[in-house]
Amino acid sequence: MPPSLHTRVTEDVGRSIVDGTVPAGTVLLSDEIERRQGVSRSVIREAIRVLGSMGLVESVKRVGIRVLPPSSWNAYDPTIIRWRLLGPGKGEQLRSLTELRSAVEPMAAELAARHAAASVAAELMDVADLMRSAGDSGDLSSFLELDIRFHRLVLRGSGNEMFAKLDGAVAAVLSGRTDLGLQPDRPHENTLQLHAEVAEAISGAQPQKAREAMERIMRRTYAEVQPTWAADPTSAL
């Protein structure tokens, strides 16, 4: 199904802001966007509303639509993450999210081993088994879906509502790694085994083992994607 008109406009304008083609401080005019995109004013209004909710723009009365700096963006918005991964900021985006995951997910696994409902623990075991089957068969599409589901279950199973809200960002970066060709052609045996160990530790209510297995997953992930940002300087905000 083709995207709606306002989705297309949102995508075009949003990506141009995120990749720096339209820099912060630029004032956009609805008339110009309407003319360039060939759509109605109502479509422009809806697109600007969505971009505003992401922190990319603000409407200024009698001025126009002002483009906001990255410090104003919703850094956890999955759409912004996807746009950054598609542009020149992909290395920085991967670094930020990988560092975040490395800090949060081991603790989430530990908490899930303490608090997750039996149904969540059982589902994690099932997903880990399915991940092994998909990985062994080289079905990367199914493996990606299952990997996203696995990490979502861990985050939600932690019982921490702040961790649970990160599931969209984690899903976006896992999908982005696949889209960018940063995943191996076939998941490593060690990766499959570590996911199984996390599931088993959570199911067995073993917090320390769950944390340690997830830490090993994240160390491997960091090592795999670190070359994408190795040449980029990291500066204080």
Side-chain angles (χ1 to χ4, degrees):
M1 179 183 295
S4 65
L5 289 175
H6 93 262
T7 298
R8 175 172 62 79
V9 174
T10 302
E11 185 86 8
D12 289 348
V13 177
R15 284 189 63 179
S16 69
I17 293 171
V18 170
D19 68 18
T21 302
V22 179
T26 301
V27 174
L28 306 173
L29 300 177
S30 295
D31 289 346
E32 292 179 1
I33 301 174
E34 183 180 344
R35 186 166 51 254
R36 186 170 63 251
Q37 296 284 344
V39 295
S40 68
R41 181 60 61 89
S42 62
V43 169
I44 300 301
R45 280 199 296 268
E46 176 62 16
I48 296 306
R49 183 192 67 77
V50 173
L51 294 172
S53 71
M54 297 178 183
L56 295 178
V57 299
E58 64 177 355
S59 295
V60 182
K61 197 170 183 179
R62 290 190 293 275
V63 174
I65 302 153
R66 180 178 294 143
V67 175
L68 297 175
S71 58
S72 297
W73 302 353
N74 177 3
Y76 296 104
D77 188 293
T79 302
I80 290 181
I81 292 170
R82 177 172 62 82
W83 288 340
R84 292 187 73 194
L85 290 173
L86 290 170
K90 70 179 180 182
E92 183 181 359
Q93 179 66 92
L94 280 169
R95 176 187 60 78
S96 296
L97 277 172
T98 303
E99 290 174 351
L100 176 68
R101 292 184 64 200
S102 297
V104 168
E105 292 201 54
M107 174 58 78
E110 178 181 333
L111 292 173
R114 298 181 188 279
H115 306 304
S119 59
V120 172
E123 187 176 354
L124 270 170
M125 292 291 290
D126 290 342
V127 172
D129 287 342
L130 291 169
M131 287 177 72
R132 178 172 292 280
S133 296
D136 288 343
S137 67
D139 185 351
L140 293 184
S141 177
S142 294
F143 183 84
L144 172 62
E145 292 179 8
L146 291 164
D147 198 18
I148 290 171
R149 183 176 163 195
F150 184 94
H151 289 276
R152 179 179 289 125
L153 283 167
V154 172
L155 290 167
R156 293 180 178 179
S158 71
N160 183 304
E161 73 280 7
M162 302 295 285
F163 287 1
K165 288 294 185 181
L166 295 175
D167 66 342
V170 171
V173 76
L174 288 172
S175 297
R177 280 189 64 193
T178 299
D179 293 341
L180 292 168
L182 298 175
Q183 296 279 28
D185 293 337
R186 189 179 294 269
H188 296 290
E189 169 59 30
N190 180 250
T191 296
L192 298 172
Q193 180 59 34
L194 286 172
H195 280 78
E197 289 179 16
V198 170
E200 290 166 3
I202 290 173
S203 181
Q206 298 175 297
Q208 188 61 30
K209 286 188 176 181
R211 182 186 188 108
E212 290 172 355
M214 185 63 84
E215 283 177 342
R216 291 198 294 274
I217 289 174
M218 294 315 307
R219 281 198 296 270
R220 184 177 194 107
T221 297
Y222 191 96
E224 288 174 346
V225 298
Q226 194 268 344
T228 64
W229 69 77
D232 299 334
T234 300
S235 58
L237 298 178

